[in-house]
Amino acid sequence: MASRSLGGLGGNRGGGGGGGRKSLSARNAAVERRNLITVCRFSVKTLIDRSCFETIDDSSPEFNNFAAILEQILSHRLKGQVTWFGYESPRSFWDYIRVACRKVSQNCICSIENMENVSSSRAKGRAWIRVALMEKHLSEYISTALRDFKTTRRFYEDGAIVLGEEANMLAGMLLGLNAIDFSFCLKGEGLDGNFPAVIDYTPYLKFTQSSDSISSDEEELRTLGSSGSESSTPENIGPPFIMDENSWFNKCKRVKQKYQLTLEQKGYLEELLRLRENQLSESVTQNKILLQRIEDSDLAHKLEKEQLEYIIVELQDQLKSCQSLDQLSTEVSLSQTSLDPGQSQGDGKQDTLNLISGGKEDTPSLLGLCGSLTSVASYKSLTSLKSNDYLASPTTEMTSPGLTPS
């Protein structure tokens, strides 16, 4: 019975070991991602604070640490490159950046590729970080690369920072670096791609003493040292309440430096806010002007359309009146020529002119119609019909229409 119970207990432990290892691996990956993002945020804040006092260049330890952190983030869970023989060779984050950032307008990818003094892929990636910072487009590059999810998925494994929720935080953090003027030399030792980047965590792990504390770091260390000695007494354990003048002066100096730094940051943020408010007001004003122009153009187009429709209707009415006048003049001329061919020519012309003159005189089509009626000679004139042999008397025509003239 004892052996069976022990065996069952061992089996349960073995079965839960796989789930425990998976949960531990997931926990370690989450902690790794959180640590990199947190230290990157600290590094960006340190760069912004340092830029208030001096220019950031290659010799700045804050920048070197930031570049190492960003390189670690972009290299987190980066897939290797599979060769023809099936082996997987390591690759640099530059292989991903040069593919995913091609869509950025006026990008520096081609210029980095054509640099003569930079040969390795890692060195090109480090040069790209410096050029993007000097161009103030690093956040834009990262945002564009992260939006290309298909390419990012092809280069990174599951659990990478650029594939998780931390990626959006990274793009937002880097946006604050656009306010800093960087100055780098692209021929220095910082571009050496033979050695991996190492992050220095000590600036972010230092103990910051609060302003409410009475004792300084040196006094606390001295107190701890005295308490560890055998000759220490209970009276010597606590820190002294009376401090000398130098300690108070140093504390006041530190508080003054913090106040000046906070005041400068406040002025910078207020100036940035004022600039953004001015840009927003200008955008609103331009938007109103554009909307007013659109409304005016729509109104002008509507009025022009109504005028054109009115002109079309008027022209259609004139065309119908001209057609009716043409038909009427033709009927009148035919009826008169059937009664008196000789006299109908002059009278028909005169009647037609009277009818036309009674209509719309200013219409060009009517004027053309009058000209055509006065110029056409449909029948013989009276002067050509002088012979009485071809003319019938009115009495004869009225009494006996069928008789021929003698």
Side-chain angles (χ1 to χ4, degrees), residues 147-168:
R147 283 195 297 266
D148 192 357
F149 187 76
K150 184 177 180 180
T151 303
T152 307
R153 193 75 180 175
R154 181 162 56 92
F155 276 88
Y156 288 90
E157 299 176 354
D158 294 336
I161 294 178
V162 295
L163 292 176
E165 298 178 356
E166 297 85 356
N168 297 327

Side-chain angles (χ1 to χ4, degrees), residues 234-301:
E235 289 79 5
N236 297 330
I237 294 177
F241 289 97
I242 300 176
M243 300 175 61
D244 56 354
E245 185 178 356
N246 293 331
S247 300
W248 284 109
F249 179 76
N250 293 332
K251 186 181 289 293
C252 182
K253 187 177 180 180
R254 288 197 298 268
V255 172
K256 186 177 180 181
Q257 290 177 354
K258 291 181 181 180
Y259 174 74
Q260 289 179 354
L261 181 61
T262 306
L263 190 63
E264 290 178 356
Q265 292 179 354
K266 178 178 176 292
Y268 167 74
L269 293 177
E270 289 178 351
E271 182 67 20
L272 184 62
L273 179 61
R274 186 186 63 80
L275 180 62
R276 294 293 182 267
E277 289 178 351
N278 293 336
Q279 292 178 353
L280 180 61
S281 62
E282 291 177 359
S283 301
V284 172
T285 305
Q286 292 179 359
N287 189 18
K288 290 181 180 179
I289 294 174
L290 292 176
L291 290 176
Q292 186 64 33
R293 289 180 180 176
I294 291 173
E295 292 178 359
D296 295 342
S297 62
D298 290 341
L299 181 61
H301 292 164

Side-chain angles (χ1 to χ4, degrees), residues 87 112 192 214 293:
Y87 297 102
I112 298 296
D192 188 7
I214 303 176
R293 289 180 180 176

Side-chain angles (χ1 to χ4, degrees), residues 203-252:
Y204 317 114
L205 298 178
K206 288 183 179 179
F207 172 74
T208 303
Q209 188 176 9
S210 63
S211 58
D212 299 332
S213 178
I214 303 176
S215 60
S216 61
D217 295 338
E218 292 79 5
E219 293 173 351
E220 290 180 357
L221 291 175
R222 188 165 56 250
T223 303
L224 292 175
S226 61
S227 63
S229 61
E230 296 179 355
S231 61
S232 60
T233 59
E235 289 79 5
N236 297 330
I237 294 177
F241 289 97
I242 300 176
M243 300 175 61
D244 56 354
E245 185 178 356
N246 293 331
S247 300
W248 284 109
F249 179 76
N250 293 332
K251 186 181 289 293
C252 182

Side-chain angles (χ1 to χ4, degrees), residues 67-112:
I69 294 170
L70 184 60
E71 185 174 343
Q72 291 283 349
I73 291 175
L74 295 177
S75 302
H76 183 251
R77 290 184 177 271
L78 184 66
K79 292 181 181 179
Q81 187 175 6
V82 180
T83 61
W84 287 95
F85 301 100
Y87 297 102
E88 187 173 349
S89 60
R91 70 181 2 160
S92 173
F93 70 92
W94 170 248
D95 299 331
Y96 162 70
I97 291 296
R98 68 179 180 181
V99 176
C101 296
R102 291 285 185 181
K103 298 180 181 179
V104 179
S105 60
Q106 298 179 358
N107 60 76
C108 61
I109 304 298
C110 295
S111 60
I112 298 296

